[in-house]
């Protein structure tokens, strides 16, 4: 008999390692780029290619987990991440680095698979608290990863050593998962819809490539967007016709689940849409731009702490607040807090001190949403669709961040004070848009209906119960 407490402890350790990897590598990339003589575009490509892999891999591995066992695919994605981090540590050219980051992109597949294992082994009643622990640990790991790796890898001589340490983390995680993480007992029946998987993967890849800004110019970007739209329309048509769809759109679009996916998209916009513009504003030199804080890398790091710590606090308190006041009300409050935080930033951004309470407020609201939404979704999904449902949730959240990030960058490029210097009003518009999107989430959260397996719109498919 596998004790749930042991399962939770192992999954928490995996998410801590995931946070260290996600927070640590971006800090090392500039130093690695100097050693390999990479351009700024090469660095953007190395970062963006992970998002492309995430878009393709998360739905596919999540569905395969539902069909073949979530532990199996957690092991596989861990092994692929080990290989990717190893290639990154060995990289002596852009090609090897890109190959490493492609495989390291499978890191994003861990969390949906873990959510499914949590539901199966811990139960729905306790899954909310455990999800909060996983999200909080991931956030904490990303903070420590950025700080510790930034300090340890600051010298050129230590860079390779730190990269090898990062490569060891998923290897240790693989050992833990191999020995201590049990398999899920509920399986979906049927087979994988390979045509649907191909259409979805290619469509999302083109969409992420379009939003990632690969320097293709307006015609190339428009072509990518059109191709993505065609492929995704064909994907929807295929799924509605398939007897064993990759994504059961009728269930996911049910009255109980659809609002949760809308909220996940809004949450992604709120969490990630203003990150780059805010750092750009804080780094701007007042004597040159007429605004900004002139923040160096150390101050920029300190200014990110309030929002990240707020998110950590929100994630670990979400379940308790949800049980006391009702998840729907707390979720609505989370979006209201985020709206208030971004609204205050838009009104007051002339000093570093102004970003501390507002960042904490917006971060806390975001952390509540990060913990509550997957737990609410799990309660509304058929057990055999937990992996693919939470995988779609994660993909939508990432896609939302890419959409709003690209929109924010376009706005800063369009509203110029002079060549190369965005107008201050463009930054205010970005923060105002994030506040507005957060405010939209309040009535959507309040309108959530009671949980129902797939919203009650469709009888769940037959499942296999394993011993």
């Amino acid at each position: 008999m596998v004790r749930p407490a042991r399962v939770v402890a192992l999954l928490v350790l995996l998410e801590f390692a995931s946070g260290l990897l996600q927070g640590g590598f971006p800090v090392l990339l500039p130093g690695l780029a100097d050693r390999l003589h990479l351009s700024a575009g090469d660095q953007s490509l190395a970062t963006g290619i992970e998002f492309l892999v995430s878009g393709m891999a998360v739905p596919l591995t999540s569905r395969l987990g539902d069909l073949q066992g979530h532990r199996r695919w957690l092991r596989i994605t861990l092994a692929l991440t080990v290989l990717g981090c190893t290639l990154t540590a060995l990289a002596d050219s852009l090609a090897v680095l890109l190959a490493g980051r492609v495989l390291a992109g499978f890191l994003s597949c861990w969390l949906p698979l873990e959510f499914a294992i949590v539901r199966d082994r811990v139960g729905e009643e306790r899954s909310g608290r455990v999800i909060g622990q996983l999200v909080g640990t991931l956030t904490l790991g990303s903070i420590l990863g950025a700080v510790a790796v930034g300090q340890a890898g600051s010298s050129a001589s230590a860079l390779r050593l730190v990269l090898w340490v990062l490569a060891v983390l998923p290897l240790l995680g693989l050992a833990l998962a191999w020995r201590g993480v049990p398999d899920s007992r509920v399986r979906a029946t049927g087979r994988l819809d390979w045509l649907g998987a191909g259409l979805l993967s290619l469509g999302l890849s083109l969409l992420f490539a379009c939003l990632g800004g690969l320097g293709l110019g307006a015609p190339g970007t428009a072509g990518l967007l059109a191709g993505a739209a065609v492929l995704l329309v064909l994907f929807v048509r295929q799924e509605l016709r398939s007897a064993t769809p990759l994504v059961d759109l009728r269930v996911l679009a049910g009255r109980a689940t659809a609002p949760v996916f809308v909220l996940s998209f809004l949450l992604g916009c709120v969490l990630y849409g203003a990150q780059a513009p805010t750092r750009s504003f804080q780094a701007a030199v007042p004597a040159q731009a007429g605004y900004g804080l002139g923040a160096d890398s150390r101050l920029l790091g300190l200014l990110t702490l309030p929002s990240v710590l707020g998110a950590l606090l929100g994630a670990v308190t979400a379940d308790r607040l949800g049980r006391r006041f009702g998840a729907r009300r707390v979720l609505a409050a989370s979006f209201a807090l985020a709206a208030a935080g971004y609204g205050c930033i838009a009104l007051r951004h002339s000093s570093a001190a102004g970003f501390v309470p507002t960042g904490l407020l917006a971060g806390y609201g975001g952390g509540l949403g990060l913990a509550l939404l997957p737990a609410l979704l799990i309660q509304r999904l058929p057990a055999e669709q937990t992996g693919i449902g939470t995988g779609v949730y994660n993909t939508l959240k990432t896609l939302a961040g890419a959409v709003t990030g690209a929109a924010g960058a376009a706005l800063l490029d369009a509203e110029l004070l002079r060549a190369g210097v965005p107008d201050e009003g463009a930054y205010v518009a970005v923060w105002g848009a994030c506040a507005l999107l957060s405010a939209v989430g309040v009535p959507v959260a309040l309108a959530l209906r009671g949980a129902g397996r797939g919203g009650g719109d469709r009888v769940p498919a037959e499942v296999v119960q394993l011993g």
Side-chain angles (χ1 to χ4, degrees):
M1 181 71 177
V2 180
R3 292 183 299 173
R6 182 186 178 189
V7 177
V8 171
L10 291 174
L11 295 180
V12 163
L13 287 174
L14 285 180
E15 279 312 299
F16 184 69
S18 174
L20 291 174
L21 290 169
Q22 293 183 47
F25 177 74
V27 178
L28 297 177
L29 182 57
L32 186 59
D34 288 340
R35 174 167 290 195
L36 300 181
H37 308 291
L38 303 180
S39 66
D42 294 336
Q43 294 182 58
S44 297
L45 183 59
T47 302
I49 202 166
E50 293 185 51
F51 287 101
L52 296 180
V53 173
S54 173
M56 291 189 296
V58 169
L60 181 59
T61 58
S62 299
R63 179 57 177 165
L64 286 169
D66 289 338
L67 289 168
Q68 301 175 2
H70 302 101
R71 179 180 64 177
R72 172 187 291 187
W73 282 94
L74 181 60
R75 289 173 174 177
I76 291 172
T77 54
L78 275 161
L80 291 171
T81 307
V82 171
L83 183 56
C85 292
T86 301
L87 286 175
T88 301
L90 290 170
D92 56 0
S93 66
L94 176 62
V96 178
L97 176 63
L98 292 179
R101 300 326 296 169
V102 164
L103 294 172
F106 282 90
L107 171 70
S108 59
C109 302
W110 300 2
L111 197 57
L113 295 167
E114 291 169 358
F115 285 163
I117 293 172
V118 165
R119 178 181 184 171
D120 186 271
R121 290 291 175 171
V122 176
E124 290 183 13
E125 287 298 316
R126 292 182 55 201
S127 61
R129 182 159 61 95
V130 175
I131 286 172
Q133 293 173 355
L134 292 176
V135 173
T137 304
L138 173 63
T139 305
L140 178 62
S142 66
I143 298 173
L144 296 179
V147 174
V149 171
Q151 293 295 322
S154 58
S155 65
S157 59
L159 178 62
R160 289 290 182 184
L161 176 60
V162 177
L163 285 171
W164 279 112
V165 171
L166 292 181
V168 170
L169 289 175
L171 181 62
L172 294 175
L174 179 60
L176 289 174
W178 202 276
R179 295 181 59 85
V181 176
D183 205 355
S184 47
R185 293 165 293 191
V186 175
R187 302 270 179 89
T189 59
R191 58 182 180 81
L192 184 68
D193 178 12
W194 286 106
L195 178 56
L199 290 170
L200 179 62
S201 297
L202 289 175
L204 288 175
S205 296
L206 291 181
L207 190 55
F208 278 112
C210 172
L211 297 171
L214 299 180
L216 299 176
T221 301
L224 287 178
L225 187 59
V230 170
L231 288 170
L232 292 176
V233 167
L234 291 175
F235 164 74
V236 171
R237 182 185 180 192
Q238 165 65 16
E239 296 308 282
L240 293 176
R241 291 182 170 186
S242 175
T244 56
L246 174 75
V247 180
D248 193 333
L249 297 176
R250 292 182 177 88
V251 169
L252 299 192
R255 287 182 296 176
T257 51
V260 181
F261 287 114
V262 172
L263 289 170
S264 72
F265 188 86
L266 291 173
L267 182 64
C269 295
V270 170
L271 287 175
Y272 309 124
Q275 283 186 356
T278 300
R279 287 195 297 267
S280 174
F281 178 89
Q282 292 167 345
V285 180
Q288 299 174 0
Y291 58 80
L293 308 179
D296 57 14
S297 58
R298 180 172 297 182
L299 180 56
L300 285 174
L302 291 175
L303 288 173
T304 62
L305 285 179
S307 59
V308 178
L309 291 175
L312 172 61
L313 183 61
V316 297
T317 59
D319 183 66
R320 179 173 295 182
L321 291 174
R323 290 178 181 275
R324 181 171 182 178
F325 300 106
R328 184 179 63 175
R329 294 187 183 91
V330 176
L331 188 58
S334 75
F335 280 93
L337 288 172
Y342 279 113
C344 290
I345 293 175
L347 294 174
R348 184 183 177 188
H349 48 266
S350 58
S351 67
F355 283 92
V356 175
T358 54
L360 186 64
L361 194 65
Y364 185 71
L368 288 173
L370 279 174
L372 286 172
L373 279 174
L376 285 171
L377 182 60
I378 283 175
Q379 294 171 8
R380 289 161 164 76
L381 286 171
E384 76 279 7
Q385 295 189 30
T386 304
I388 186 60
T390 53
V392 170
Y393 158 81
N394 266 22
T395 300
L396 271 178
K397 186 156 55 66
T398 304
L399 178 61
V403 168
T404 47
L411 181 60
L412 294 182
D413 289 339
E415 299 294 326
L416 295 177
L417 184 65
R418 57 182 178 273
V421 181
D423 187 84
E424 183 178 358
Y427 292 102
V428 175
V430 170
W431 294 320
C434 286
L436 179 60
L437 289 170
S438 301
V440 170
V442 176
V444 177
L446 290 174
L448 283 173
R449 298 178 181 271
R453 300 295 172 262
D457 294 328
R458 184 170 180 169
V459 178
E462 181 185 359
V463 299
V464 178
Q465 180 77 29
L466 303 177

